[in-house]
């Protein structure tokens, strides 16, 4: 069955093209999918444009759009096992993590399904009985949605659900490395009754299948999640048509541990912060800042536990984390570690490809701790997006804040301390979009997600997630007009 979904029809690319998808855990073939070129994307944009301009989706009552999203949530739950399996095969991540993701995804559709109907505009008191003034919300139009491979369906849901809730039409371009759950989602949207042309899917490489979404004049909004460099290029490409741009980019997130932190909790969460999904998490706590009086004891224990983390494939129940996404990505991580060591970092664990049954067939890289790092090292400044923790020492609150903010990124960060007031003070001074105090990684759909500084532009989730996808229109009506006589 063909894999591109354009104007309510499943079809293959205009120019023959396919891509083999292989599981990063062992290189096994997961499937062969169609690969779109720019011409297919342009057709998908035309379909989305027609569906927007001619309706009925943008003018469907918000409550009905919300109901459809709730139906999609139910279908996601129905298909949870197949979706989780497909996500794990594409990404190599543990099945249990994919299952958790599918629950989150269904919740995201539920959240925006309910929000769609709840946010209906407002009336403004004019003081003149014959004049009314109101603000109504309208969809932005055709949305280009481009997503990454680390949380493929979750990142897609964070865009597709609010875009549909607000009445937009869209063209989705998921990562070429992890297309299968996006294909499945389109089938669920079709089953739930999304009209033809409203939801369109193109698969393929970014510069070919994705690029037209940035500069095409018929695309009104570009929402992108991915790397900083790609985001910069897309923002520049979008400038020619002054389309609305939303960017969720990378992070190099500080995890600050004060000497008075609860030791067991802080060690445990420092490990989760950086080694979950082998560090391929935008909010990963990849920079550990630890107060100097605690440093030796804390890092010794962290290294002891990191060295014992078990690697394995998605269906290996003893595995604690999985492989990296590709050979190229592992090479990038290795290069950052080598550079860090050349710049004076001290290797405390990891740092070389693991050996062991089955591990040589996947793109595995072990949890790696680089101690005695400083802010001028590339491995501290750049997002390596792998299981690599850099450790810096600090003395006191002011230095912790200075080191934490010393990066172009501003996505997330954490503070561990038993002194509640100190933790709050530090949290208030971190230039990041999400701060966890004595915790790491949880999020709720009701709260905004997004980056300060070069981690992004705009917010996903929360009420602003919906606001990104709609325009506010002010309608002023005079029901008893009469000449004003200014120029009589
Ligand atoms: P990437 O930038 O390489 O690719 C992301 C998407 O952009 C893919 O679909 C890709 O095909 C497409 N793309 C690439 N070049 C393009 C071009 N020229 N035109 C149009 N599309 C193009 O990122 P990635 O490696 O897939 O994902 C990892 C990155 O995503 C990390 O930096 C991570 O921090 C970030 N991320 C951020 C968040 C967040 O919420 N802020 C969430 C997840 C991932």
């Amino acid at each position: 069955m063909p894999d591109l979904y354009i104007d309510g029809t499943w079809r293959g690319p205009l120019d023959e093209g396919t891509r083999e998808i292989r599981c990063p855990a062992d290189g096994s073939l997961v499937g062969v999918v169609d690969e779109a070129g720019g011409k297919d994307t342009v057709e998908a944009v035309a379909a989305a444009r027609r569906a927007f301009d001619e309706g009925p989706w943008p003018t469907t009552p918000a409550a009905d759009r919300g109901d459809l999203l709730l139906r999609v949530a139910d279908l996601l739950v129905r298909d949870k096992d197949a979706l989780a399996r497909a996500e794990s095969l594409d990404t190599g991540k543990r099945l249990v993590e994919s299952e958790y993701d599918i629950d989150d995804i269904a919740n995201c559709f539920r959240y925006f399904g309910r929000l769609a109907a709840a946010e209906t505009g407002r009336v403004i008191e004019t003081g003149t009985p014959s004049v009314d003034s109101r603000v109504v919300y309208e969809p932005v139009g055709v949305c280009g949605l481009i997503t990454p491979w680390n949380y493929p369906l979750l990142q897609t849901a964070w865009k597709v659900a609010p875009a549909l809730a607000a009445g937009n039409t869209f063209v989705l371009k998921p990562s070429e490395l992890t297309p299968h759950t996006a294909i499945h989602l389109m089938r669920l949207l079709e089953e739930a009754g999304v009209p033809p042309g409203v939801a369109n899917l193109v698969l393929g490489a970014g510069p070919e299948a994705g690029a037209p979404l940035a500069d095409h004049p018929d695309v009104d909004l570009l929402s992108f999640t991915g790397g900083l460099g790609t985001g910069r290029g897309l923002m520049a490409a979008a400038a020619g048509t002054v389309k609305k741009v939303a960017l969720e980019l990378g992070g190099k997130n500080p995890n600050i541990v004060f000497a008075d932190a609860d030791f067991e909790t802080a060690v445990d969460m420092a490990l989760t912060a950086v080694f979950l999904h082998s560090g391929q998490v935008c909010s990963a706590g990849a920079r550990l800042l630890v107060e100097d009086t605690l440093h030796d004891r804390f890092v010794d224990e962290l290294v002891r536990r990191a060295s014992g983390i078990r690697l394995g494939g998605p269906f290996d129940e003893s595995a604690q984390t999985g492989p990296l996404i590709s050979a190229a990505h592992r090479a990038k991580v290795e290069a950052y570690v080598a550079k860090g060591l050349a710049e004076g970092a001290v290797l405390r664990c990891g740092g070389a490809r693991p050996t062991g049954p089955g591990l040589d067939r996947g793109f595995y890289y072990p949890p790696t701790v680089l101690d005695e790092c400083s802010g001028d090292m590339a491995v501290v400044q750049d997002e390596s997006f792998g299981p690599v923790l850099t450790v810096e020492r600090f003395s006191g609150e002011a230095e912790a804040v200075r080191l934490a903010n010393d990066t172009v990124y501003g996505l997330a960060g954490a503070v561990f301390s038993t002194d509640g007031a100190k933790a709050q003070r530090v949290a208030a001074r971190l230039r990041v979009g999400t701060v966890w105090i004595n915790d790491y990684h949880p999020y709720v759909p009701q709260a905004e997600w997004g980056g300060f500084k070069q981690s992004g532009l705009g917010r996903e989730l929360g009420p602003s997630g919906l606001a990104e996808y709609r325009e506010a229109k002010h309608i002023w009506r005079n029901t008893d007009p009469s000449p004003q006589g200014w120029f009589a």
Side-chain angles (χ1 to χ4, degrees):
M1 180 144 182
D3 301 310
L4 311 186
Y5 185 62
I6 298 175
D7 211 7
T9 303
W10 290 93
R11 69 158 177 78
L14 292 170
D15 296 328
E16 296 269 295
T18 54
R19 177 183 291 260
E20 282 187 351
I21 306 300
R22 292 189 174 272
C23 180
D26 58 11
S28 59
L29 186 66
V30 180
V32 179
V33 297
D34 286 320
E35 181 100 332
K39 283 191 268 182
D40 301 293
T41 305
V42 168
E43 285 215 349
V45 169
R49 185 80 259 163
R50 273 194 307 279
F52 187 81
D53 292 345
E54 295 166 22
W57 186 249
T59 51
T60 297
D64 295 352
R65 294 198 301 258
D67 285 348
L68 186 141
L69 263 62
L70 298 179
R71 282 204 295 283
V72 175
D74 291 343
L75 295 175
L76 285 160
V77 172
R78 183 196 70 189
D79 288 1
K80 175 175 168 177
D81 290 349
L83 284 161
R85 208 183 143 72
E87 197 80 311
S88 279
L89 287 171
D90 276 4
T91 59
K93 78 167 71 165
R94 295 183 312 148
L95 184 64
V96 58
E97 289 180 41
S98 297
E99 287 169 348
Y100 188 85
D101 290 351
I102 305 304
D103 290 339
D104 263 4
I105 291 159
N107 278 339
C108 174
F109 273 87
R110 276 197 201 98
Y111 171 73
F112 283 109
R114 294 185 184 123
L115 200 62
E119 300 250 314
T120 53
R122 61 189 201 273
V123 173
I124 297 164
E125 183 55 58
T126 65
T128 308
S130 59
V131 173
D132 57 51
S133 164
R134 64 202 166 94
V135 173
V136 295
Y137 297 122
E138 297 187 354
V140 171
V142 175
C143 302
L145 311 177
I146 303 180
T147 52
W149 48 260
N150 63 333
Y151 286 86
L153 195 58
L154 186 65
Q155 298 302 327
T156 297
W158 287 14
K159 299 185 190 308
V160 164
L164 286 177
N168 298 279
T169 63
F170 69 80
V171 179
L172 168 67
K173 208 301 283 172
S175 169
E176 60 276 26
L177 302 177
T178 53
H180 282 105
T181 49
I183 298 171
H184 195 133
L185 176 66
M186 300 308 277
R187 296 199 193 288
L188 298 188
L189 295 182
E190 197 178 21
E191 183 178 345
V194 171
V198 171
N200 301 276
L201 174 71
V202 291
L203 307 177
E208 288 79 34
L213 298 177
D215 60 11
H216 198 296
D218 279 341
V219 176
D220 300 291
L221 177 149
L222 173 70
S223 179
F224 168 79
T225 300
L228 174 57
T230 316
R232 280 190 186 126
L234 289 173
M235 192 173 172
T241 48
V242 196
K243 54 175 54 71
K244 291 174 175 45
V245 176
L247 301 173
E248 294 289 343
L249 305 177
K252 191 71 186 187
N253 312 290
N255 182 15
I256 303 171
V257 179
F258 283 95
D260 61 11
D262 179 87
F263 186 83
E264 280 301 313
T265 305
V267 171
D268 176 82
M269 293 207 183
L271 293 164
T272 310
V274 65
F275 297 131
L276 179 75
H277 194 14
S278 290
Q280 302 168 113
V281 183
C282 53
S283 51
R287 282 190 299 143
L288 176 67
L289 307 178
V290 57
E291 197 155 19
D292 46 14
T293 53
L294 180 67
H295 172 277
D296 293 358
R297 182 172 159 238
F298 193 85
V299 177
D300 284 352
E301 180 60 9
L302 187 100
V303 165
R304 191 184 69 75
R305 295 202 208 171
S307 309
I309 291 176
R310 290 185 300 278
L311 301 174
F315 310 111
D316 173 353
E317 286 182 3
S318 70
Q320 293 171 294
T321 191
L324 299 184
I325 189 71
S326 66
H329 185 49
R330 180 169 63 178
K332 175 181 148 183
V333 172
E334 287 174 329
Y336 271 117
V337 171
K339 211 165 173 192
L341 295 176
E343 288 176 338
V346 174
L347 181 68
R348 295 291 306 269
C349 66
R353 290 184 192 183
T355 51
L359 295 182
D360 55 336
R361 287 188 290 136
F363 306 122
Y364 290 96
Y365 195 77
T368 296
V369 177
L370 297 179
D371 201 0
E372 309 300 350
C373 292
S374 57
D376 53 358
M377 295 177 177
V379 71
V380 172
Q381 287 298 326
D382 300 351
E383 187 188 42
S384 69
F385 218 51
V388 179
L389 182 68
T390 63
V391 185
E392 295 170 79
R393 300 165 187 256
F394 70 85
S395 173
E397 266 175 76
E399 190 177 21
V401 169
R402 185 179 61 72
L403 291 177
N405 286 334
D406 180 23
T407 159
V408 298
Y409 292 109
L411 187 60
V415 188
F416 285 85
S417 171
T418 49
D419 178 342
K422 178 165 71 178
Q424 291 280 15
R425 279 194 303 274
V426 171
R429 293 179 61 198
L430 293 184
R431 300 283 301 143
V432 299
T434 296
V435 185
W436 293 285
I437 296 177
N438 295 329
D439 212 332
Y440 210 102
H441 280 317
Y443 79 94
V444 286
Q446 293 83 355
E448 274 75 0
W449 177 265
F452 285 21
K453 294 154 71 179
Q454 294 187 35
S455 282
L457 189 65
R459 290 286 185 279
E460 294 196 306
L461 303 180
S464 332
L466 188 56
E468 292 265 11
Y469 288 92
R470 64 189 190 191
E471 310 268 25
K473 179 188 279 180
H474 178 204
I475 302 177
W476 173 281
R477 182 174 62 152
N478 187 342
T479 59
D480 186 19
S482 59
Q484 297 293 298
W486 284 86
F487 299 107

